[in-house]
Amino acid sequence: MPNLLRTIQLAMKSLMLHKLRAGLTMLGMVLGVSSVIAMLAIGRGAKEQAQKQVLKLGATNIIIRSVKPPPESAVNSGGASVLRYGLLRKDYDLLNKTIPTITQAIPIRELNKAAWHRHHEITARIVGCTADYLDINHLNMAQGRFITDDDRQQKKNIAVLASGTADELFQYENPVRQSVKIGSKFYRIVGVTIPRQASAAIGGSMSGQDYNQDIYIPLETMRVRMGDLNIDRTAGSFSSEYWELSQVTLRVDSQDRVVETANVIRESMKQNHKTDSDYAIVVPLELLKQAEQMGIIFNVVLGSIAAISLLVGGIGIMNIMLATVTERTREIGIRRALGARRRDITIQFLTETIVLSGTGGIIGILLGLSTKYAFAGIRTFVESFIFEGGKAGSDFAKMFSEMRPEPVPWSLPLAFFISVGIGIIFGIYPARAAAKLDPIEALRHE
Amino acid sequence: MKLAAQVIDIQKHYDLGSVVVKALRGVSVDFPHGDFVAIMGASGSGKSTLLNLLGALDRPTHGEYIIGGRPVSSISDDDLSAIRNEMIGFIFQSYNLIPQYTVIENIEVPLHYRAGYPSISAKDRKHIMELGDMVGLGDRMDHRPYQLSGGQQQRVAIARALVNNPQIILADEPTGNLDSSTEAEIMEILCNLNAEGRTIIMVTHENSVAKMAKRQIFMKDGIVAGEGFFPG
């Protein structure tokens, strides 16, 4: 085997004879290899995104949320009448008592209301909840304590502030043991939570939750002090809505039984609801499956692009190398006369092909690594032109907009070896054709 | 006298399907060490075929070719390559340099194909520079062939032919593309090489060039028609 480094160096020299030609020949490889990298990066990104979401929401959880029905159904009930919708305490009891695989059911009710401390006023999300809320949403206390079962039983007038709320209402004071006014009533503050990153939106039914603008009060306290009816008076209009619970988070005893439990829940919910338009069931575990399917779709599409590009790229390389061999027949004759064996000629042209495809591969890898940024650009474009103001049309579009490609480390050497392999596969024939030439005829070639 | 090369009754036939062309029909020539032979003859006389066989680019259909004591008529293709690399230096009419390489890299080419593929050492580089000086290319070693005149390109080819220190130099009309003053310069280099003891076999059809060789061989219709000292 001749000196490898020198062989590569000389191969580059020969390729540099036709820079444009070499560049164009590499394009197929570049595209193919970058598709391989991108494919794996997108697949990984989608999976990680889903896993992160599932981890946040809990893989064994099933979440049922009240959904305000679309306006058409409200029109029927008349302008000023009460719009009733959403989860009922009946639902909660039914699910909690009849489904044995559910180990824990955590109800909450939430509404937006103004809250005051002295002259500071903010609109906060008031969450009526139970002691489990803290744990299930991965919240932690900065100081004081969270709501306890005791608070609920005694329907105490206490509140726990989220960090953002605390900062805005009590700018330079310690909020604990002070009071906050919600609506017309006062609540004693017993604790403040640590800031938590907003959760991602899930499914098509929930928007992202910002946990930092909340005020937590015991669920029972909310019921007795605020009732289930919420009247909203805004300029010139008057609307009242009635809902009992905003969300119930159900914990299933094992991950294997999440899907069947979800199916049972879907059936059970029909008992108290005529339509399924006023609630939504979100199963985080199903999101993971959905993400995996998405990943497969992307992999098939990009995989086909990669395969076709690599094939076409390989054929292009072979074509150019055949042309090169014809063009350099004289050179082959000279080398043979000066003592090159057939094998030396094969190695020479094979090296040139591999250098060509390998360089294409390296450029492709760099391009593939930039997928992350390219993807962000494409997403911005797609979102602003197709989704009309951020409203995702379908689950697909939604997934797309949440996807964050993450390059997979082992895909880099893989892609490089693929490009080298393509060089060998498509380079061997031209190289052997070159080696087979008769030296005398090659020397005579004009 | 020890022979540098020897051909014994060699024949070369080309099978063209319908007819068999007999390019050489039994040629026997001895080339002693230090010989300087001009092979002359009209085109089609078989002199190029003889040169190809002498250059180990081809095998005879019949007969034996012995170079440096080794019979080569039936050795493998790889062994022929090795013979060309180690024992023969080629000089062509059209120089045959590799266009993308510099002068140094062109001279280097035979070194890449040495037995065992040793890397090019500092000693090799020094040798290349010496050869460059010897043929008078001193300051042009980094040029590319298209930047050189015909005479300069032929000097590069001569340096390349000498780099592996071969016993025999085969020159195929070395001055065919050159004007008379350059021709004289190239012939002077060849005469000097011969004076150093190298065996030179040259094909030419110019009397002025053939005259400078020690002896001449005339070929006609695939056989040696005459041998002797010019004008013989």
Side-chain angles (χ1 to χ4, degrees):
Chain A
M1 195 64 189
N3 187 307
L4 189 67
L5 205 72
R6 186 78 184 137
T7 313
I8 291 172
Q9 208 180 343
L10 293 175
M12 277 178 163
K13 204 155 192 143
S14 299
L15 290 172
M16 291 303 270
L17 267 181
H18 303 282
K19 292 188 191 71
L20 182 66
R21 185 202 275 183
L24 291 174
T25 311
M26 274 189 274
L27 272 182
M29 287 311 299
V30 171
L31 202 66
V33 166
S34 55
S35 304
V36 170
I37 305 261
M39 170 178 83
L40 293 166
I42 288 172
R44 181 186 174 195
K47 205 165 176 183
E48 272 178 11
Q49 184 74 11
Q51 272 166 348
K52 230 187 273 170
Q53 241 182 45
V54 169
L55 210 67
K56 264 186 190 163
L57 298 169
T60 55
N61 287 355
I62 294 171
I63 299 161
I64 311 173
R65 261 190 90 78
S66 293
V67 177
K68 195 171 161 176
E72 308 92 72
S73 57
V75 172
N76 302 340
S77 57
S81 70
V82 176
L83 175 62
R84 285 170 166 270
Y85 67 89
L87 289 165
L88 307 167
R89 274 180 285 273
K90 248 194 320 190
D91 298 327
Y92 169 74
D93 290 338
L94 179 74
L95 297 174
N96 202 10
K97 280 173 189 153
T98 59
I99 302 175
T101 54
I102 292 174
T103 56
Q104 209 178 6
I106 301 144
I108 62 163
R109 183 170 190 272
E110 52 190 29
L111 65 137
N112 291 326
K113 243 180 157 53
W116 289 273
H117 169 68
R118 302 214 181 100
H119 59 276
H120 294 294
E121 186 198 336
I122 60 161
T123 302
R125 193 170 72 110
I126 316 296
V127 182
C129 59
T130 65
D132 299 323
Y133 187 83
L134 188 75
D135 188 39
I136 210 158
N137 286 301
H138 307 285
L139 289 164
N140 286 299
M141 298 307 293
Q143 54 170 319
R145 62 171 179 88
F146 198 68
I147 293 158
T148 62
D149 290 341
D150 201 39
D151 296 330
R152 286 175 57 201
Q153 274 161 26
Q154 297 178 27
K155 302 180 179 63
K156 282 186 186 167
N157 294 333
I158 56 147
V160 173
L161 300 191
S163 60
T165 325
D167 286 347
E168 279 182 56
L169 285 176
F170 300 88
Q171 281 165 355
Y172 301 105
E173 300 171 64
N174 185 350
V176 176
R177 278 187 282 280
Q178 305 228 36
S179 61
V180 61
K181 186 183 170 199
I182 303 167
S184 56
K185 296 173 179 94
F186 287 92
Y187 298 80
R188 191 165 53 85
I189 295 162
V190 295
V192 177
T193 62
I194 285 172
R196 178 193 192 276
Q197 243 187 349
S199 78
I202 49 168
S205 58
M206 284 168 114
S207 53
Q209 269 189 25
D210 179 7
Y211 290 95
N212 296 327
Q213 301 299 322
D214 294 350
I215 296 176
Y216 309 107
I217 60 174
L219 186 64
E220 279 70 17
T221 309
M222 183 182 239
R223 190 179 174 192
V224 294
R225 304 197 88 184
M226 297 179 188
D228 293 330
L229 190 66
N230 188 40
I231 300 164
D232 184 23
R233 299 177 196 85
T234 46
S237 82
F238 175 85
S239 73
S240 52
E241 295 175 13
Y242 175 96
W243 77 98
E244 294 182 2
L245 294 172
S246 299
Q247 180 178 320
V248 176
T249 304
L250 301 159
R251 226 168 223 184
V252 182
D253 56 359
S254 97
Q255 207 164 311
D256 310 332
R257 290 201 264 200
V258 169
V259 176
E260 58 179 299
T261 306
N263 290 334
V264 175
I265 290 170
R266 284 193 184 100
E267 284 304 313
S268 305
M269 287 298 286
K270 285 179 187 161
Q271 260 182 28
N272 297 325
H273 296 264
K274 280 181 196 139
T275 66
D276 60 358
S277 66
D278 67 338
Y279 65 91
I281 299 172
V282 178
V283 186
L285 205 64
E286 285 178 353
L287 291 178
L288 194 64
K289 295 209 170 93
Q290 215 177 328
E292 272 166 8
Q293 279 168 0
M294 275 297 293
I296 290 169
I297 294 172
F298 265 88
N299 280 2
V300 167
V301 171
L302 283 167
S304 322
I305 293 175
I308 293 169
S309 309
L310 289 173
L311 185 70
V312 172
I315 293 170
I317 286 177
M318 181 152 126
N319 196 12
I320 285 297
M321 287 316 289
L322 284 171
T324 302
V325 168
T326 309
E327 200 180 78
R328 285 161 60 190
T329 299
R330 185 78 170 249
E331 179 191 323
I332 295 162
I334 297 167
R335 288 180 184 276
R336 295 280 280 135
L338 297 177
R341 294 156 184 78
R342 289 188 195 280
R343 198 174 31 145
D344 297 327
I345 301 294
T346 309
I347 289 170
Q348 182 198 340
F349 281 91
L350 199 55
T351 309
E352 281 187 30
T353 320
I354 293 169
V355 167
L356 195 65
S357 66
T359 310
I362 290 169
I363 297 172
I365 286 171
L366 295 177
L367 202 70
L369 285 178
S370 67
T371 327
K372 214 170 155 178
Y373 311 101
F375 208 81
I378 293 168
R379 185 166 44 237
T380 315
F381 175 82
V382 169
E383 277 171 0
S384 56
F385 286 93
I386 299 173
F387 295 168
E388 290 165 17
K391 267 194 188 165
S394 62
D395 276 357
F396 183 87
K398 186 100 184 164
M399 291 294 289
F400 181 77
S401 73
E402 280 166 10
M403 211 174 276
R404 299 286 181 276
E406 198 54 50
V408 186
W410 55 259
S411 71
L412 308 188
L414 174 80
F416 183 71
F417 285 124
I418 287 176
S419 66
V420 169
I422 296 262
I424 293 172
I425 291 167
F426 289 95
I428 197 87
Y429 177 71
R432 296 193 69 154
K436 251 192 261 169
L437 290 171
D438 178 64
I440 298 169
E441 273 168 38
L443 270 172
R444 246 185 246 140
H445 188 89
E446 284 306 317
Chain B
M1 201 192 298
K2 213 181 158 197
L3 298 177
Q6 184 183 24
V7 291
I8 305 159
D9 189 31
I10 55 168
Q11 299 189 17
K12 183 69 191 176
H13 303 168
Y14 293 105
D15 191 351
L16 301 179
S18 53
V19 283
V20 174
V21 176
K22 295 183 176 176
L24 291 178
R25 300 185 296 156
V27 174
S28 299
V29 190
D30 291 350
F31 300 96
H33 271 295
D35 202 359
F36 189 173
V37 192
I39 300 172
M40 301 188 69
S43 51
S45 62
K47 61 183 194 305
S48 291
T49 307
L50 180 60
L51 197 74
N52 286 340
L53 287 171
L54 289 172
L57 287 164
D58 210 348
R59 294 187 201 93
T61 314
H62 187 270
E64 190 57 87
Y65 171 38
I66 298 163
I67 180 165
R70 284 179 68 183
V72 299
S73 297
S74 53
I75 61 175
S76 73
D77 196 77
D78 279 2
D79 289 339
L80 279 181
S81 292
I83 296 269
R84 290 196 292 271
N85 187 243
E86 291 161 16
M87 299 190 174
I88 298 162
F90 283 94
I91 301 168
F92 303 95
Q93 178 177 9
S94 46
Y95 329 126
N96 278 345
L97 301 180
I98 295 175
Q100 67 267 31
Y101 286 3
T102 63
V103 169
I104 293 181
E105 286 162 346
N106 265 290
I107 298 175
E108 216 175 76
V109 172
L111 298 178
H112 292 306
Y113 303 122
R114 285 180 293 190
Y117 302 107
S119 305
I120 289 162
S121 63
K123 198 177 142 210
D124 292 327
R125 300 210 177 276
K126 195 167 156 262
H127 182 46
I128 291 169
M129 297 314 282
E130 283 167 2
L131 286 172
D133 280 341
M134 195 199 87
V135 297
L137 283 164
D139 56 341
R140 291 177 193 271
M141 298 300 275
D142 291 322
H143 286 50
R144 284 172 198 273
Y146 65 88
Q147 294 167 315
L148 301 175
S149 70
Q152 286 164 337
Q153 290 191 47
Q154 196 60 296
R155 287 161 199 264
V156 178
I158 293 172
R160 181 177 68 184
L162 292 172
V163 77
N164 269 343
N165 204 18
Q167 296 182 1
I168 300 173
I169 307 256
L170 289 179
D172 187 2
E173 308 217 23
T175 59
N177 286 0
L178 300 173
D179 60 50
S180 53
S181 69
T182 324
E183 177 184 294
E185 287 165 21
I186 296 295
M187 285 314 295
E188 194 193 327
I189 296 173
L190 289 181
C191 289
N192 289 341
L193 289 174
N194 181 241
E196 284 170 18
R198 285 181 214 271
T199 310
I200 298 177
I201 303 170
M202 174 175 72
V203 164
T204 183
H205 51 239
E206 286 171 71
N207 291 340
S208 61
V209 173
K211 205 160 58 181
M212 300 180 80
K214 284 182 181 164
R215 63 185 180 116
Q216 292 77 28
I217 293 171
F218 296 92
M219 295 203 53
K220 199 182 173 194
D221 298 331
I223 52 166
V224 177
E227 195 174 338
F229 300 93
F230 197 83

